[in-house]
Amino acid sequence: MSEQPSKLHCRRYWQKNITLVMILLCCWFVVSLGAGILFRDWLDANLPKVGNAPLGFWMAQQGSIICFVIILYVYKHMMDKLEGEEGFTSKK
Amino acid sequence: MSQDYWNYIFIGLSFILYISIAVRSRAGSTKEYYTAGGGVSPLANGMATAADWMSAATFISMAGAIAISGYDASRFLMGWTGGFVLLTVLMVPFLRKFGKATVPDFIGDRYYSKLARAVAVLCAIFICMTYIMGQMRGVGVVFSQLFGIGIPAGVATGAGIVFVYAGLGGMKGITYTQVAQYCVMAFAYTIPAIFIAIAMTNNFIPQLGLIGDYTAGTADSIPFLTKINNINSELGFREYTSGNITTMNMFCITMALMCGTAGLPHVIVRFFTVKNVRAVRTSACWTLLFIAVIYLTAPTIGAFSRVNLIEKLNNISYAETPGWFKDFEETGQMAWVDKNNDGKIQYYGPGKSESGTSSPFIGSKPTYPAYDAPKVQRIGINGERLLASKADMTNPNELWFGNDIMVMANPHMAGLPKWVIALLMAGCIAAALSTAAGLLLVLSTSISHDLMKKIIKPDLSDKEEVNYARIASFVALGVAAYFGINPPSAFIAKTVAFAFGLAASSFFPTLLMGIFSKKINKEGAIAGMLAGISFTLGYIVFFQFLGGKPEQWLLGISPEGIGCVGMLLNFAIAFLVSAFTPSPPQEVVDMVESIRLPDDPNAEEGSPPPAIH
């Protein structure tokens, strides 16, 4: 049995959670609204193509979705790890 | 064996599967009825959520929308998948930890107010109702085509089937049926895409074909996207890879779709069915992966079938058109108006006429002469089906097709075997039924739990509550079926498209602030919700129904994207009002504190499954 997490653990857990969410939401914004819409023309013109597709167009139709899946996987992995570190998972 | 027999076999088999799953896993208690007892595995819940999310409209029409508008349709692709990221990192783990059965439950408790709960119930009912009407209509259309019955009988059949397993089986029955439905949908969507990718680009992975070379032509292979851009420019359309919508507007629409997705009650409740907060995150990963399979395929189907359709039909004389063209002409999904009387089909975009239009006839959909009209009014000199709609002579375009044709005609165009077409039919029905069932459950629990038990009659017993839920789902289905048969034409059709904006400006900010701020009180939340939704609704009504002109758009934002501004308004008002009114009571602050933490490590089973109080 692990011990009940202390107040300190709880606060630190929440802080780390917020930091992680913020970082992931930045990635989320950059790959979709950023690369797919706001900076799309610049990406199309200046960066290498993906196969035959201009990068901005590809990000909007394919790349952003692939990135979303990766973002969620990272979130799941990091949160599970964080819970272990701060004593929120029981060691059976 | 004829196509009809294949259709009957596939659809019959899939129905037997759904119903037997529903009967085996029917719900016995409120807990099972609302949240399947809270013990569904993350993988199964991921599949079920994906099936719930893919509505008939998405399944049938999304690829067509992409084929027609190219880059501009990316807003749907990014909006409806990106919303899941917001949903997962900002919403569901905390709402699951809170441990109640419905979304209005959270709003009612967090904002310690019956008024807030009532507003939330109304929003939930409104959003679900507009959605479910479209689903019933979709089921009705597919059934009526399959069995040659009228749309009313088709809608009634669909409603009966949904009632059997959603109304009786509750969340438990629905969840396991949706798992089967997702499998049917995924196969039905990807198999035709693979075949057409091989035909067009000689690559069996459609996503690689899209960025690869076009190899179906006789000349040297050229990049596929160059090919489709060339076709579009030649015929007077915009380039496929460039957009028509302004960057600002595109940004706002995509944002509104994303935040709207994260505020949809029928998606949120799906995550209440798994064991604990940890399982919620795993399940969300699976869900997005399953959705991505379909959303990554949609742009490939759109692009491939656009090229295929144009190559097969443009500048071809009617007598030489493939058989499927005549079939779809018969069902009214495609139409040809021979404006220049040369007997050939010409397809042109708005760039080829001075008026900038490209509709072959006047009006948005073709109309036909009555069946008992004289033959000369029904059949043209080339044997084509004549329209009752008048030809629009301001442009040279002669071909019309609906959005759903890109998915429905895809197997025909690619010359696939009959069983693939039957599989596609079964997939369409699975998409409509699974979404309708999920929505129906939210509707019935909103009425029985949030309205009856929490507001009107608090001493309801467990068993009575389930009975109320069943009665409510029966009534809701009746209303939805009625509107499916008699669609309140313009109004509802337009409102559905804006449901996301409404969800983004009402539910999303209120839930978000409820979790991440301890300062927002009931006055702030209610004022914010009302301000957000009335601003968004007012803007939509003004531009859609009161004749507002696009030149008057605020900052150039179309009504589709205004939910984004409504959302900011909601945040601003809620913070402002909360700053000048009393803070929330201590027990609410404690509650917010507790939902932020993961499961209690000392409890054997993780956090208890949602309890019904």
Side-chain angles (χ1 to χ4, degrees), chain A residues 1-2 4 10 13-14 28 33 36-37 40 52-53 60-62 64 68 72 75 79-80 83 88-90 92, chain B residues 70-71 74 78 81-82 207 211-213 223 225 241 254 258 278 281 285 288 296 299 596-598 601-602 604:
Chain A
M1 285 296 274
S2 66
Q4 187 75 29
C10 292
Y13 168 82
W14 181 245
W28 164 83
L33 296 163
I37 298 174
R40 182 202 161 211
N52 293 322
Q61 297 223 326
Q62 306 261 296
S64 56
F68 293 151
L72 278 201
Y75 174 73
M79 286 303 285
D80 286 353
E83 281 180 16
F88 284 101
T89 30
S90 55
K92 286 193 181 134
Chain B
Y71 167 79
S74 312
M78 286 189 284
T81 50
Q207 288 78 7
I211 56 173
D213 288 332
L225 287 168
T241 52
T254 311
M258 284 171 164
R278 192 177 249 261
R281 295 193 290 259
C285 266
L288 191 62
L296 287 174
R596 290 176 176 186
L597 296 177
N602 296 326
E604 278 299 307

Side-chain angles (χ1 to χ4, degrees), chain A residues 1-7 9-11 13-14 17-18 20-22 24-25 28-29 31-41 44 49-54 56-81 83-84 87-92, chain B residues 66 70-75 77-79 81-86 88-90 93-94 207-208 210-213 222-226 240-243 246-248 250-251 254-255 258-259 277-278 281-282 284-285 288-289 291-292 295-297 299-300 515-516 595-605:
Chain A
M1 285 296 274
S2 66
E3 282 169 28
Q4 187 75 29
S6 66
K7 264 247 148 64
H9 276 112
C10 292
R11 200 173 307 131
Y13 168 82
W14 181 245
N17 181 1
I18 292 285
L20 176 67
V21 166
M22 281 305 180
L24 290 177
L25 285 185
W28 164 83
F29 186 89
V31 298
S32 56
L33 296 163
I37 298 174
L38 296 178
F39 309 115
R40 182 202 161 211
D41 294 331
D44 280 359
K49 291 182 165 194
V50 181
N52 293 322
F57 175 79
W58 186 81
M59 282 305 288
Q61 297 223 326
Q62 306 261 296
S64 56
I65 301 174
I66 298 171
C67 293
F68 293 151
V69 177
I70 298 171
I71 289 172
L72 278 201
Y73 180 75
V74 171
Y75 174 73
K76 175 203 131 50
H77 184 77
M78 296 295 283
M79 286 303 285
D80 286 353
K81 209 173 118 202
E83 281 180 16
F88 284 101
T89 30
S90 55
K91 300 175 189 77
K92 286 193 181 134
Chain B
I66 298 169
Y71 167 79
D72 282 345
S74 312
R75 63 187 190 274
L77 294 167
M78 286 189 284
T81 50
F84 264 89
V85 176
L86 293 181
T88 311
V89 303
L90 297 175
F94 310 108
Q207 288 78 7
L208 294 181
L210 183 69
I211 56 173
D213 288 332
I222 57 167
F224 179 79
L225 287 168
T226 315
Y240 189 79
T241 52
S242 63
T246 60
T247 304
M248 173 73 180
M250 185 85 177
F251 181 88
T254 311
M255 193 67 155
M258 284 171 164
C259 299
V277 177
R278 192 177 249 261
R281 295 193 290 259
T282 317
C285 266
L288 191 62
L289 186 70
I291 292 175
Y295 274 68
L296 287 174
T297 312
T300 68
I515 297 164
F516 289 89
I595 61 167
R596 290 176 176 186
L597 296 177
D599 311 303
D600 183 356
N602 296 326
E604 278 299 307
E605 287 291 307

